[in-house]
Amino acid sequence: MSIPTEPIGSIPRPEALIEATSTRDHMDPALDALYDEAIKDTIERFEATGSPVITDGEQRKYHNFWTYCVHGLPNMAPDGFKIPFTAGHVRRMPRLIKGPFRYRVRASCYLEIAQRYARVPLKQAVISPSALSLLYPAEGIQGYSRDQFIDDLLTEHEIEVRGCLERGAHKVQIDFTEGRLAIKVDPTGDLLTSFIDLNNLALSRFSVAERARLGVHTCPGGDRDSTHSADVDYVELLPSLFQLNVGSFYIALAGERDRPRILKVIREHLRPDCRVFVGVVSPIDPRIETPEEVRDRVLEAAAYIPVAQLGTTDDCGFSPFSDDTSTSRDTAFAKIRTRVIGTGLAAQILGVDDG
């Protein structure tokens, strides 16, 4: 047995790709060569870090990790839900203006392309149904009820996840960055409860064996070295988070001020049938952590979480929004390499290094 370590997802895109996609439809075939070059380079550099599980760096996930599946659809308006960040900028979701709701692109196509180059297991991130539920306007849509929308949303999500599982994804990670944000938007907790219920409704469509290959990632957001909800107490989210019926949880932790307090809550609510991957490097911190720092963070977590249920990860993707250049590709891969080395050092000390 060893301590598994996995990335979250995104890697900063090459400057040439960012410039090209800023003036063209991201599905323009003329961009294929740039995408392929970025994916190939990302995978080669990912594998060079020693990471036993990798991603394609979300190089083809144009615009962001949240609305990649609907970006460019004709039944979307640009004036949807606002996400303010502490750096002072605001990201805005599109707004659905008429039904039916359908994805324009599914993440399984990203996985298919990445598999042409990868020699180690690939995981694939997908967006949660709860995040996409914010596309539907509060005032409703004439002739297309919210219930109809939710039915369509769950169907689209299921098709996307099944496509990734069938293509052999090591894990399918459901991005749930809106968890803490939901508490900020609605301190009563009702919105968070509705998100958990909706996501579990989607998860109920999968078997126990399939759910063992599904995970949920949560963080306070990460964009331009800032967050959208780090001011929300993790303790308000974690009990609800562990109600989600998945096999793995990826929890941002490196950037938290009081990790032991959070680890105690994780220990209290952790189910025996799941694994927790704790964040041990922070993508929004420009400083590259040392392997020894990562080692110590893993050992700290192991004091609260059984080693057989412990894994490590990055707090967040390194560029969830495709135009974010606040972190360089070199820095991202250096942090990933540190995560891998530091996790190995901790495994040796804990006596679970099988290498």
Side-chain angles (χ1 to χ4, degrees):
M1 182 184 71
S2 62
I3 299 174
T5 187
E6 298 179 11
I8 291 301
S10 61
I11 296 292
R13 286 74 169 171
E15 185 176 338
L17 181 59
I18 294 175
E19 291 178 357
T21 54
S22 68
T23 58
R24 301 183 189 180
D25 185 291
H26 69 290
M27 297 180 74
D28 185 342
L31 296 173
D32 285 349
L34 278 175
Y35 280 127
D36 286 349
E37 181 180 348
I39 293 166
K40 186 174 183 292
D41 180 70
T42 298
I43 288 175
E44 287 177 352
R45 297 185 68 179
F46 231 131
E47 291 181 342
T49 67
S51 185
V53 177
I54 66 170
T55 75
D56 69 346
E58 301 187 356
Q59 303 298 286
R60 288 192 76 109
K61 250 187 196 179
Y62 178 70
H63 194 50
N64 62 59
F65 76 104
W66 195 312
T67 60
Y68 64 90
C69 53
V70 299
H71 190 83
L73 285 174
N75 61 340
M76 297 283 171
D79 58 345
F81 183 77
K82 295 179 180 179
I83 309 171
F85 284 82
T86 53
H89 66 288
V90 175
R91 296 289 190 177
R92 194 156 195 172
M93 291 182 68
R95 173 176 58 90
L96 186 68
I97 56 177
K98 68 176 182 178
F101 175 77
R102 297 288 186 270
Y103 284 9
R104 186 184 184 193
V105 63
R106 297 190 176 96
S108 55
C109 73
Y110 307 138
L111 183 62
E112 179 181 3
I113 294 170
Q115 286 172 330
R116 300 173 190 170
Y117 305 108
R119 296 170 295 176
V120 300
L122 282 157
K123 71 184 290 187
Q124 181 60 57
V126 302
I127 192 58
S128 67
S130 55
L132 292 178
S133 72
L134 296 170
L135 294 170
Y136 192 87
E139 65 273 16
I141 298 174
Q142 186 175 4
Y144 188 59
S145 69
R146 182 173 181 82
D147 286 344
Q148 289 175 302
F149 164 71
I150 293 298
D151 285 343
D152 288 341
L153 169 59
L154 293 176
T155 297
E156 291 295 300
H157 176 76
E158 180 184 4
I159 292 171
E160 179 176 53
V161 172
R162 286 199 183 282
C164 295
L165 291 174
E166 290 168 1
R167 284 214 62 85
H170 172 73
K171 291 273 188 68
V172 178
Q173 171 189 293
I174 301 167
D175 285 331
F176 185 55
T177 186
E178 71 277 12
R180 271 166 104 168
L181 184 61
I183 299 169
K184 189 170 186 175
V185 172
D186 177 18
T188 70
D190 289 345
L191 181 59
L192 175 60
T193 298
S194 72
F195 281 176
I196 297 294
D197 290 345
L198 177 59
N199 290 335
N200 269 336
L201 193 59
L203 291 165
S204 70
R205 298 185 174 206
F206 299 93
S207 68
V208 173
E210 289 168 335
R211 290 198 296 270
R213 292 171 60 194
L214 305 183
V216 167
H217 163 59
T218 191
C219 70
D223 185 35
R224 299 178 186 172
D225 289 344
S226 65
T227 67
H228 56 55
S229 56
D231 54 332
V232 174
D233 192 339
Y234 239 149
V235 173
E236 296 185 56
L237 169 65
L238 292 174
S240 296
L241 181 74
F242 284 107
Q243 293 175 21
L244 290 170
N245 295 318
V246 293
S248 298
F249 293 89
Y250 302 86
I251 300 178
L253 199 60
E256 296 296 319
R257 293 181 179 178
D258 190 352
R259 290 190 299 272
R261 175 173 173 267
I262 297 164
L263 286 164
K264 288 177 184 177
V265 178
I266 292 174
R267 178 176 62 188
E268 180 182 353
H269 294 278
L270 177 62
R271 303 191 314 267
D273 62 338
C274 61
R275 185 183 296 274
V276 173
F277 290 78
V278 296
V280 291
V281 296
S282 174
I284 65 173
D285 182 350
R287 187 183 65 85
I288 298 171
E289 296 85 350
T290 67
E292 291 74 22
E293 284 178 290
V294 171
R295 175 200 63 197
D296 292 346
R297 289 172 182 176
V298 179
L299 295 176
E300 178 184 60
Y304 298 89
I305 299 170
V307 176
Q309 292 182 264
L310 179 63
T312 65
T313 188
D314 313 310
D315 268 7
C316 189
F318 288 88
S319 182
F321 293 84
S322 65
D323 62 355
D324 181 9
T325 58
S326 60
T327 301
S328 71
R329 285 170 70 82
D330 287 345
T331 295
F333 288 117
K335 282 176 171 277
I336 290 167
R337 185 172 184 273
T338 292
R339 166 172 55 79
V340 173
I341 295 172
T343 300
L345 292 175
Q348 291 175 2
I349 293 172
L350 294 168
V352 295
D353 180 17
D354 58 9

